[in-house]
Amino acid sequence: MKKRILCVEDEAAIRSMIRFSLEREGYVVEEAADARSARDLAATQLPDLLLVDWMLPDLSGPELIRRFRRDPLTADTPIIMLTAKTEEEDMIHGLDAGADDYLSKPVSLKALSARIKALLRRSEGFGEQRIINAGRLQLNQDAHQLRIDGTPVHLGTTEYRLLEFFMQHQDKVYSRAQLLDFVWGQSTYIEERTVDVHVLRLRKTLKAHAAENVIQTIRGAGYLFSATETTGD
Ligand code: CA
C-alpha cells in the first residue's frame, strides 16, 4: 500500500517540486494551496502524513496544525512543518502547535525524505501490548498512551518516542547525539539542539502534572530519566 502524503503549501513551485520528488519515491502526494482545501482533502481521504507550510493565505501553519490535532481523525497523523523561520522560539511555537518535526526552507529533499521515512516508521511500529511503569508514570506502548497518576496525557509523536526511550532505559545518561541515533534514527539529518527542543516540550507537558523532574539535565553529558524523582519530596 502506497503511503499518502498531503502537502499544504501555497507556493506552487515548491509544492510541485516536493510532489515530483516524493512521487519518485513511491508516495501518493496530494496538494493543497490553502488551509481550507487541506482540511477538505484530509477529510475526504485521510493522509498518512502531512506537510504544512508556516504561512498560508487563509491561516497560519501552526493554527492549521492545531486544528488537525483537535480533529480526532488527524490527532495522531505525523506532521512536518515547513518553515522559513529558524529561530528557536518559532520552532517551539510550531512544535507546541502539534507538529512532530520541522524543516527549514529552502527544503532539502534528501532531509525531507529521511524525516518522512522516520516519522512513518514511528507511527507504524506498534508492537504487542507492553506497559512500562516508572513511578507515577505509566506508558502503554500498544495504545501509545501515557498516564500520570492514572490520568491520560497527550504527547506528540516525537515526545512519545523520546519518553518511551527514556522509560526503557532508566537511570542512565544519554548524550544528545545518542538520543538522536536511538530516537530519531541514524538516517536523519537533525541538529543536536532539536533534542533540547523536544526535551523542553516533553518537560512542559510533564510539568502540567508536576512530573517534569523525571528528566534530568546532566551538565556536559546529556539527559537522564529517573522515576525516583517523581516520588521524592
Ligand atoms: Ca507560504
Side-chain angles (χ1 to χ4, degrees):
M1 263 278 270
K2 284 188 170 184
K3 295 288 182 188
R4 308 181 70 84
I5 296 175
L6 174 55
C7 177
V8 192
E9 160 69 75
D10 55 316
E11 288 175 67
I14 297 180
R15 226 166 49 224
S16 43
M17 176 191 77
I18 288 175
R19 180 170 56 81
F20 186 72
S21 164
L22 294 179
E23 279 179 351
R24 280 205 333 202
E25 294 191 37
Y27 297 107
V28 175
V29 181
E30 287 186 294
E31 300 180 36
D34 54 43
R36 170 182 279 270
S37 44
R39 299 184 74 198
D40 287 348
L41 275 171
T44 310
Q45 187 151 21
L46 195 63
D48 295 295
L49 185 141
L50 287 150
L51 300 175
V52 177
D53 185 33
W54 179 265
M55 188 50 74
L56 297 162
D58 50 348
L59 211 59
S60 78
E63 183 51 36
L64 174 61
I65 291 169
R66 234 170 255 125
R67 293 185 190 189
F68 275 131
R69 284 296 177 239
R70 279 201 296 266
D71 183 340
L73 276 177
T74 47
D76 297 317
T77 306
I79 300 179
I80 299 176
M81 189 176 62
L82 306 177
T83 172
K85 312 204 175 193
T86 50
E87 293 300 315
E88 192 160 16
E89 275 304 308
D90 294 322
M91 296 188 299
I92 291 171
H93 183 54
L95 293 172
D96 274 344
D100 296 291
D101 209 340
Y102 60 86
L103 210 56
S104 300
K105 287 183 184 175
V107 173
S108 148
L109 293 172
K110 204 172 168 190
L112 178 66
S113 163
R115 291 189 195 188
I116 287 173
K117 278 194 197 111
L119 279 176
L120 287 177
R121 202 165 51 227
R122 242 172 264 161
S123 68
E124 274 171 358
F126 309 153
E128 69 280 19
Q129 172 132 5
R130 285 164 297 159
I131 288 180
I132 307 174
N133 287 295
R136 296 164 48 213
L137 278 62
Q138 184 187 68
L139 200 69
N140 182 327
Q141 294 176 283
D142 187 43
H144 260 220
Q145 171 92 77
L146 168 68
R147 285 176 185 270
I148 301 180
D149 298 328
T151 305
V153 177
H154 176 78
L155 290 175
T157 309
T158 304
E159 281 66 46
Y160 172 84
R161 290 288 300 174
L162 190 56
L163 182 63
E164 182 183 50
F165 178 82
F166 277 135
M167 289 179 74
Q168 286 170 324
H169 304 86
Q170 299 178 34
D171 301 302
K172 188 172 184 310
V173 181
Y174 287 92
S175 69
R176 290 166 179 79
Q178 285 175 319
L179 289 170
L180 274 183
D181 278 357
F182 292 133
V183 180
W184 276 260
Q186 290 179 331
S187 61
T188 51
Y189 305 81
I190 311 181
E191 301 161 36
E192 290 192 4
R193 69 171 170 161
T194 300
V195 175
D196 299 328
V197 171
H198 285 281
V199 167
L200 192 71
R201 195 176 165 209
L202 177 56
R203 272 187 178 143
K204 201 174 153 190
T205 302
L206 296 174
K207 193 173 183 180
H209 302 266
E212 74 277 17
N213 288 342
V214 291
I215 298 169
Q216 300 164 27
T217 305
I218 309 299
R219 209 177 155 79
Y223 294 104
L224 171 146
F225 178 99
S226 180
T228 53
E229 281 295 311
T230 53
T231 49
D233 51 20

